[in-house]
Amino acid sequence: MSRLVVVSNRVAVPDPTGKGAAGGLAVALREAFEAYQGIWFGWSGKVAAQPSTQPKIVNRERVQYALMDLTSLDRQEYYNGFANRALWPIMHYRIGLSEFSRADYAGYLRVNRSFANALAQMVQPDDLVWVHDYHLIPLAAELRALGITNRIGYFHHIPWPAPEVLGTLPGSRELLRAITDYNLIGVQTERDADNLRRCLVQELGAVHRKGDVVELGNHQTRVKGFPIGIDVRGFEQAALRSSSHRLVRQTTAGLGSRRLIIGVDRLDYSKGIPERMESFERFLVGNPDQRGQVTYLQITPTSRSEVPEYATLSREVNETLGRINGSLGEPGWVPIHYVNSTYPRSVLAGLHRLSRVGLVTPMRDGMNLVAKEYVAAQNPDDPGVLVLSKFAGAAEQLTDALLVNPNDKFEVAEAIRDALYMGRDERIARWTRMMGTIRQTDVSWWASTFLKDLAGGKNAGRPRIQVGV
Ligand code: F6P
């Protein structure tokens, strides 16, 4: 029986005590690793004086975790530099924020090559290899150069932009050539799939054959949408049990008769946090009767703090927050509560369930699982309303949310108002339809659909040319 080899930048090694929350990808792969024996390969998260040439192996149940250390230069060039300063902004349509450096790009290729060298020694002929995310786009090309002909799939967790946007990034044609070395490329939405196929056609002269097949020379790859899901039952159950949690009880008591509006996002400019705060400000200014009647809680764990654009964003959020709370707050009422802590699923599910409105208004997002978590956490008899950016991948599926353009603060303010005033019957009808969709396309559906497709595809890999700077 073939094994499953997962590769991702971060590797979630389970805590041996079984305690501690599993991350999104770990939850997604749990069932897959029950079906297949496997390896999970990637960065240990550690910085060492010398880069690893062999991974450190940690065995937990059926999975072998293979962990590579990076040097501080690797982390700077590969992770902070090319992945998060050049690729991330471009993939999120922020051309003006993208900082390309040839040294960073060389570091990105160097880490991909060293991962491929170590991984090639572990891969057996029947293994299915599943690579995740933008840090590792050239990995298949590097593995092919080493003679690996296994089926290799890639899932891109973030948006894939239109060719006119991707084309502004130096090196993008090389990345596109490298991505065709995967047998199957999964993206979050049909829009992303269409964008990537158009990039391959316009930039490389590939031919888009029927459906998801793209042909480059005598080689075919497939590009297809696989919308990622959540552990719906787990989230529902966590929400049901959450009312006894201390933080949830304290929040309930602190609210009194006020209604809660919630936002939960990593601190990232793609999430539209200052824009959302200003939309809430617009709502309060336009609806003065609501002052003192609602509280907006924004939970925002900090992220990628070594990248300068994130430090700038942090200052911008703090300034916006201070200005709004200072100008609109009153003794006894703070309009926006902003916290940088990370909370476990049990607390988040409870806070979602308490909230009358879930504000998920990224400027651009691959899927945005918070939107799905908000829906899954609701009380079926009295659900809250999801206000969702039309630029989140989730908007392709959750058409019963109040869909908004996050750039239009008046439109978002109006949606907040509509959400707060929406009658119970309409809230239940919208929630029921959204819940049906997220149940049908939950996380185990996502992983098993991708893997079945990868395992069943007809085109085998080919050894091929090397990518270089
Ligand atoms: O959404 C893309 C992604 O890379 C996720 O896979 C990851 O959980 C998240 O961003 C956080 O990013 P980082 O690993 O840089 O903290």
Side-chain angles (χ1 to χ4, degrees):
M1 186 192 171
S2 56
R3 300 181 309 171
L4 172 62
V5 178
V6 170
V7 191
S8 62
N9 174 52
R10 289 185 192 271
V11 178
V13 182
D15 179 346
T17 63
K19 291 182 189 147
L25 193 55
V27 172
L29 296 172
R30 199 162 32 208
E31 278 184 36
F33 278 131
E34 277 163 21
Y36 296 84
Q37 236 180 4
I39 296 177
W40 189 342
F41 180 101
W43 180 26
S44 61
K46 293 191 185 128
V47 168
Q50 294 299 325
S52 308
T53 48
Q54 297 288 328
K56 182 182 162 216
I57 304 292
V58 179
N59 289 301
R60 293 266 191 282
E61 294 172 8
R62 287 165 65 83
V63 184
Q64 200 175 54
Y65 294 87
L67 307 167
M68 301 282 285
D69 295 341
L70 297 180
T71 63
S72 131
L73 186 69
D74 287 340
R75 182 178 61 177
Q76 190 50 37
E77 293 178 343
Y78 149 82
Y79 173 75
N80 287 332
F82 190 71
N84 285 323
R85 279 199 97 184
L87 263 185
W88 177 273
I90 288 285
M91 293 290 180
H92 289 85
Y93 291 70
R94 301 293 289 270
I95 299 174
L97 288 182
S98 183
E99 290 288 334
F100 175 83
S101 116
R102 288 190 76 79
D104 288 348
Y105 184 43
Y108 175 81
L109 294 176
R110 181 179 66 244
V111 170
N112 272 272
R113 190 162 299 161
S114 97
F115 278 14
N117 283 330
L119 185 61
Q121 294 169 40
M122 305 181 77
V123 172
Q124 294 171 6
D126 269 356
D127 290 348
L128 273 185
V129 183
W130 191 7
V131 178
H132 290 263
D133 237 348
Y134 59 103
H135 315 84
L136 299 170
I137 293 174
L139 195 75
E142 296 294 349
L143 287 168
R144 300 291 185 220
L146 296 169
I148 300 291
T149 56
N150 297 52
R151 288 186 187 290
I152 312 181
Y154 171 75
F155 190 79
H156 189 73
H157 289 255
I158 63 177
W160 195 283
E164 296 70 20
V165 176
L166 187 75
T168 62
L169 177 72
S172 59
R173 295 186 76 218
E174 237 174 15
L175 286 178
L176 285 169
R177 225 176 290 123
I179 210 171
T180 66
D181 270 306
Y182 290 98
N183 299 101
L184 175 64
I185 303 162
V187 288
Q188 300 278 21
T189 65
E190 286 311 314
R191 173 167 52 197
D192 297 325
D194 181 54
N195 283 342
L196 175 50
R197 289 190 292 251
R198 286 192 302 125
C199 284
L200 293 169
V201 169
Q202 291 182 28
E203 294 289 321
L204 300 185
V207 180
H208 179 193
R209 298 271 174 225
K210 240 184 22 215
D212 47 38
V213 177
V214 177
E215 203 169 271
L216 185 64
N218 59 1
H219 173 64
Q220 286 190 341
T221 186
R222 289 185 302 126
V223 179
K224 216 169 153 178
F226 294 87
I228 195 167
I230 59 162
D231 170 18
V232 181
R233 274 182 65 75
F235 224 85
E236 270 181 299
Q237 282 165 3
L240 267 175
R241 286 195 299 264
S242 64
S243 53
S244 59
H245 202 289
R246 183 183 54 85
L247 272 169
V248 177
R249 275 192 281 119
Q250 275 173 359
T251 311
T252 312
L255 276 173
S257 60
R258 281 181 196 127
R259 293 195 290 179
L260 186 62
I261 297 174
I262 195 166
V264 179
D265 313 80
R266 215 166 34 76
L267 185 63
D268 195 295
Y269 47 82
S270 65
K271 304 293 183 185
I273 298 167
E275 294 83 353
R276 189 182 309 163
M277 287 178 170
E278 285 175 349
S279 298
F280 180 65
E281 175 185 32
R282 173 89 348 253
F283 161 75
L284 291 175
V285 169
N287 298 274
D289 58 313
Q290 289 295 311
R291 286 171 70 166
Q293 304 300 309
V294 290
T295 295
Y296 163 27
L297 169 63
Q298 177 63 46
I299 298 177
T300 299
T302 51
S303 155
R304 305 178 191 169
S305 46
E306 290 173 352
V307 179
E309 288 72 24
Y310 288 74
T312 307
L313 173 69
S314 178
R315 280 194 299 277
E316 191 194 340
V317 170
N318 284 320
E319 278 166 25
T320 308
L321 171 79
R323 182 180 58 69
I324 297 172
N325 280 344
S327 64
L328 295 173
E330 292 160 10
W333 176 60
V334 179
I336 308 177
H337 288 246
Y338 176 61
V339 286
N340 290 130
S341 310
T342 304
Y343 293 107
R345 180 169 80 170
S346 51
V347 173
L348 289 179
L351 295 175
H352 280 319
R353 195 176 178 93
L354 267 187
S355 305
R356 169 49 73 87
V357 184
L359 276 186
V360 182
T361 57
M363 311 313 278
R364 194 63 69 166
D365 217 330
M367 173 53 62
N368 198 302
L369 294 180
V370 173
K372 295 186 174 182
E373 290 170 355
Y374 178 77
V375 174
Q378 295 308 301
N379 172 359
D381 296 327
D382 189 19
V385 179
L386 176 64
V387 174
L388 178 62
S389 163
K390 63 181 183 179
F391 303 123
E396 227 173 60
Q397 292 183 293
L398 302 181
T399 49
D400 278 291
L402 297 183
L403 295 180
V404 292
N405 174 358
N407 297 293
D408 185 342
K409 294 176 185 113
F410 286 87
E411 189 180 309
V412 178
E414 225 169 85
I416 295 173
R417 188 176 187 286
D418 292 348
L420 286 168
Y421 284 94
M422 190 182 286
R424 192 163 157 268
D425 288 351
E426 184 177 351
R427 282 187 280 120
I428 292 177
R430 285 174 181 267
W431 176 82
T432 307
R433 289 190 292 263
M434 289 194 285
M435 194 63 177
T437 304
I438 65 170
R439 270 196 224 284
Q440 260 170 25
T441 54
D442 72 355
V443 73
S444 44
W445 169 87
W446 171 77
S448 61
T449 312
F450 185 94
L451 286 171
K452 214 159 112 194
D453 206 327
L454 178 63
K458 288 197 181 62
N459 48 327
R462 52 161 185 173
R464 59 149 292 156
I465 50 165
Q466 192 131 344
V467 284
V469 188

